[in-house]
Amino acid sequence: MITKIYHIKANNEPRRIISEAAKCLINGGLVAFPTETVYGIGANALSDEAVKKIYIAKGRPSDNPLIAHIHDIKEVGKYAVDIPPVAYKIMDKFWPGPLTIIFKRSNLISDTITGGLNTIALRIPSNEIARQLIAEANIPIAAPSANISGRPSPTDVNHVIEDLEGKVDIIIDGGPTDIGLESTVLDVTTTIPTILRPGKITKNMLEAVIGEVRLDDALTISDHNIIPRAPGMKYKHYAPKGRLILVEGEEDLSIKQINKWVKEKEASGHKVAIISTSENVDQYQCHIVKIIGSKDNHDQIAANLFAILRQMDEENIEFIYTRAFIEEDIGFATMNRLTKAAGNKKVLID
Ligand code: TXA
Ligand code: MG
């Protein structure tokens, strides 16, 4: 398949491109497009055949359900049933935006998109291109992150091209994504709403609007027997080809220990890199040090994480060392993804 790649710049007239992409979606094609979180690979959520193409293009397990993207809160009633009052409060406050809500599903939604679950994930993205595309197509768009299954989600069009060129009909370039981590997933079918995947919209932000919110046990308890309730969270994710070693502990001690490991690995001929905050960069001794952002700028660190993990693969890095980041705000989501990338292991230095 030949993939058409269209670039939409901030002040461009995007109508023609959006209109062609919307037609493609209506006719059962695949379109990769930007959202404010990460790029998505979209298909008509009401067509089993179109949705199946997504699973094939991504190499995604078919029991991992997809998010249906819509453009208006009025659409929710078509695809969800038994909508609890708290859900309306949350939708009014956080949509459009980086929040996905899990509802009981209506019979318009098929097993292909939900992986056989009796629930459906819905989201209204805030990215202008995404919103215009969904509104123009006027159908719900099933869209997982536009990466090959297991790789970091794409935060720039080059990542999408790398993974999906030749596998989708159209790729729309809308520049780098703002947030850089996938949406928060909140299940409102439980008595107390439950966060299944952390993101930019945090537990505190949700609690300020609706009162108590839980974190899924799999997010706080490091016991491999706990199965996450978002099926996608159980898979090996984001892991770079090299080994990622995540180090937690007092700053000076951890840096000293990392420098020692780097020296040993480099001496035995390995390709090694460090992910550092801008504050710590001068303390590291390593041929390759990538700056992820300033230590208190949690948004910047989140936005750069996936691109840095992809760079490590491009440069064939065999060992990657990083200290843990502060788990405040979006930092909790950053650490969730980073811990997965490190194979759910942390090395404690004390
Ligand atoms: O930011 C995002 O959410 C991006 C952009 C493109 O919108 N999309 C995204 O989709 O990250 P995906 O498919 O890569 O991740 C969806 C997550 C998975 O962990 C999946 O298991 C979970 O949401 N999920 C989807 N439907 C669910 C359901 N009915 N119940 C529980 N978890 C569900
Ligand atoms: Mg994904």
Side-chain angles (χ1 to χ4, degrees):
M1 177 192 294
I2 293 178
T3 301
K4 291 185 191 166
I5 301 172
Y6 292 124
H7 306 279
I8 296 187
K9 302 252 161 53
N11 301 316
N12 248 5
E13 173 55 55
R15 197 145 296 165
R16 198 187 49 74
I17 299 168
I18 300 270
S19 156
E20 182 182 336
K23 281 198 194 97
C24 174
L25 287 167
I26 293 166
N27 294 328
L30 296 182
V31 175
F33 60 94
T35 82
E36 69 279 19
T37 56
V38 299
Y39 277 76
I41 168 176
N44 181 349
L46 300 177
S47 156
D48 278 354
E49 237 162 89
V51 170
K52 276 182 194 150
K53 288 186 193 166
I54 292 183
Y55 285 99
I56 294 166
K58 278 184 62 97
R60 175 166 172 135
S62 61
D63 69 341
N64 189 6
L66 306 178
I67 299 168
H69 294 66
I70 54 177
H71 70 279
D72 197 303
I73 293 184
K74 291 193 199 95
E75 299 282 297
V76 173
K78 291 188 192 166
Y79 312 113
V81 295
D82 298 345
I83 303 164
V86 286
Y88 286 102
K89 286 194 189 163
I90 298 169
M91 291 188 276
D92 283 342
K93 175 79 182 173
F94 297 108
W95 276 2
L99 178 71
T100 296
I101 307 178
I102 310 285
F103 298 97
K104 290 220 176 81
R105 69 163 148 138
S106 77
N107 54 18
L108 274 182
I109 296 294
S110 88
D111 279 345
T112 315
I113 175 163
T114 68
L117 298 174
N118 62 358
T119 49
I120 178 72
L122 297 177
R123 166 161 123 82
I124 303 183
S126 62
N127 176 285
E128 256 322 297
I129 296 170
R131 286 193 77 191
Q132 284 179 28
L133 178 63
I134 302 161
E136 172 102 9
N138 201 24
I139 43 173
I141 305 295
S145 49
N147 52 281
I148 298 287
S149 212
R151 297 208 72 199
S153 297
T155 54
D156 188 90
V157 76
N158 294 324
H159 306 156
V160 182
I161 294 171
E162 208 174 281
D163 282 14
L164 295 179
E165 188 169 21
K167 296 182 175 177
V168 299
D169 298 285
I170 295 174
I171 295 174
I172 301 176
D173 171 9
T177 60
D178 292 337
I179 296 172
L181 297 181
E182 308 86 344
S183 62
T184 304
V185 176
L186 180 74
D187 186 347
V188 297
T189 69
T190 45
T191 320
I192 301 168
T194 309
I195 294 176
L196 307 186
R197 179 175 72 181
K200 170 77 183 165
I201 309 296
T202 61
K203 183 169 181 283
N204 284 344
M205 289 162 77
L206 291 163
E207 286 186 331
V209 180
I210 54 164
E212 192 184 357
V213 170
R214 287 188 56 232
L215 289 172
D216 188 26
D217 285 345
L219 298 174
T220 50
I221 305 170
S222 52
D223 175 344
H224 293 289
N225 296 317
I226 295 177
I227 297 167
R229 299 213 355 265
M233 299 290 281
K234 74 174 181 266
Y235 294 105
K236 193 176 170 202
H237 251 81
Y238 317 117
K241 290 179 200 141
R243 226 182 100 201
L244 175 67
I245 299 105
L246 173 58
V247 178
E248 211 169 53
E250 195 271 324
E251 179 165 304
D252 288 337
L253 277 179
S254 319
I255 292 174
K256 219 166 130 192
Q257 182 59 59
I258 289 174
N259 281 336
K260 190 167 160 254
W261 281 325
V262 167
K263 201 170 163 192
E264 285 165 14
K265 293 292 179 202
E266 285 186 340
S268 47
H270 290 291
K271 206 158 176 205
V272 186
I274 291 173
I275 302 174
S276 173
T277 59
S278 42
E279 288 80 1
N280 287 144
V281 67
D282 292 335
Q283 291 160 271
Y284 284 118
Q285 290 138 21
C286 182
H287 287 102
I288 305 170
V289 182
K290 309 258 183 215
I291 300 175
I292 193 163
S294 175
K295 102 175 163 342
D296 296 316
N297 191 339
H298 313 308
D299 286 334
Q300 189 182 33
I301 291 175
N304 287 329
L305 176 66
F306 288 156
I308 286 188
L309 291 180
R310 280 180 179 259
Q311 275 174 31
M312 298 293 180
D313 283 355
E314 260 162 51
E315 295 174 31
N316 295 311
I317 307 294
E318 297 169 272
F319 294 91
I320 306 154
Y321 295 90
T322 180
R323 290 187 61 224
F325 301 104
I326 300 169
E327 298 204 3
E328 269 165 41
D329 309 321
I330 198 173
F332 183 67
T334 301
M335 283 302 293
N336 169 264
R337 310 305 195 271
L338 192 62
T339 309
K340 280 179 189 296
N344 287 317
K345 281 187 218 113
K346 275 184 215 165
V347 184
L348 287 172
I349 305 292
D350 54 18

